[in-house]
Structure formats: C-alpha cells, structure tokens
Amino acid sequence: MARVLKNKELINTRLATNYGGWMYCNECNENIGYLCYSTYDKLELKYRCNCGNQGSAMLEFEDSRKGQNCDDELVTIKNRFCCPKDNEPLITILDKKVDSYEMKITCKSCESIYKRVK
C-alpha cells in the first residue's frame, strides 16, 4: 500500500520515485544514495556533493509518528545504514560521491531517530 506524503522538500536533489529509490544530485546527475521505500518514517538530509552542489531532502508521511531521539549508531550491512534493533535497511549514502552530509532518519518500526554526520 502506497504511503501518502505530508511534506516533501527537495533542494538540488531528485528521487527516482515519489518517496524512495535512488537519490541524485541535480547539478552533476550523480547517484548519491538509495532511500528504502518502506522502512523509514521521516528523513532530513543535507549534503555537499563532490561536484560542490549543496542539496537537501526532507520527507515525512501523513502517518509518520513523532519518533524519539536515540544515541544508538546505525549499523552498516552491505553498504546500507540499518536500524540496529531489527537490521532493516533505511538508507545508503555513497561516501565516494558526497563530500559531507548530516542526516536524521526515523525508523518506521521502532520509531527511533538516528543521526549521522560525515
């Protein structure tokens, strides 16, 4: 069942589909990562692409829950950042394609808000 977006703000960024799939830098058209469709509740991402472009993405659904901050680190499984509680993949950021990024992502199943900075 498709989810309904409440907020979607993409700056200098595009997604392969409405709220998931491959993410691209608008300036150089490079693939910067992959956002899993069904496992996240909210994403806040700011990044600087290797081409110098600064972009961001903020996505939130109608049925998103508030979530709670946590200090746990995301686990990396086959280049995907996953929830440490259930190992569900949330997002992939291609480190070789982005110079830096700040991210907050909320896991749909456990409602934890994970933060990551590079």
Side-chain angles (χ1 to χ4, degrees), residues 37-48:
Y37 293 92
S38 60
T39 56
Y40 79 97
D41 236 5
K42 183 176 181 179
L43 170 70
E44 296 175 63
L45 172 69
K46 294 179 183 176
Y47 69 93
R48 181 177 178 89

Side-chain angles (χ1 to χ4, degrees), residues 1-117:
M1 180 170 152
R3 298 180 77 192
V4 177
L5 282 167
K6 178 169 77 174
N7 293 311
K8 179 179 180 179
E9 296 174 22
L10 301 176
I11 299 173
N12 296 325
T13 305
R14 65 183 167 80
L15 294 172
T17 63
N18 191 28
Y19 56 83
W22 294 108
M23 300 183 296
Y24 298 92
C25 168
N26 272 357
E27 186 67 28
C28 66
N29 289 317
E30 284 289 334
N31 177 351
I32 60 158
Y34 185 87
L35 181 58
C36 299
Y37 293 92
S38 60
T39 56
Y40 79 97
D41 236 5
K42 183 176 181 179
L43 170 70
E44 296 175 63
L45 172 69
K46 294 179 183 176
Y47 69 93
R48 181 177 178 89
C49 182
N50 286 341
C51 74
N53 180 50
Q54 293 189 33
S56 65
M58 199 289 289
L59 296 121
E60 182 178 23
F61 298 97
E62 290 285 338
D63 62 349
S64 290
R65 295 188 177 99
K66 185 176 179 188
Q68 58 267 356
N69 289 318
C70 74
D71 293 328
D72 296 342
E73 293 287 324
L74 292 165
V75 295
T76 305
I77 301 172
K78 295 184 179 178
N79 87 341
R80 295 181 181 134
F81 293 127
C82 302
C83 175
K85 294 179 175 80
D86 60 11
N87 290 337
E88 285 289 328
L90 298 169
I91 191 169
T92 300
I93 302 290
L94 300 173
D95 280 343
K96 62 185 176 210
K97 301 285 181 86
V98 294
D99 180 53
S100 60
Y101 64 87
E102 292 180 29
M103 175 182 66
K104 287 195 323 189
I105 191 164
T106 306
C107 177
K108 184 179 176 192
S109 64
C110 74
E111 300 177 20
S112 294
I113 301 170
Y114 298 101
K115 298 174 187 149
R116 186 159 179 95
V117 176

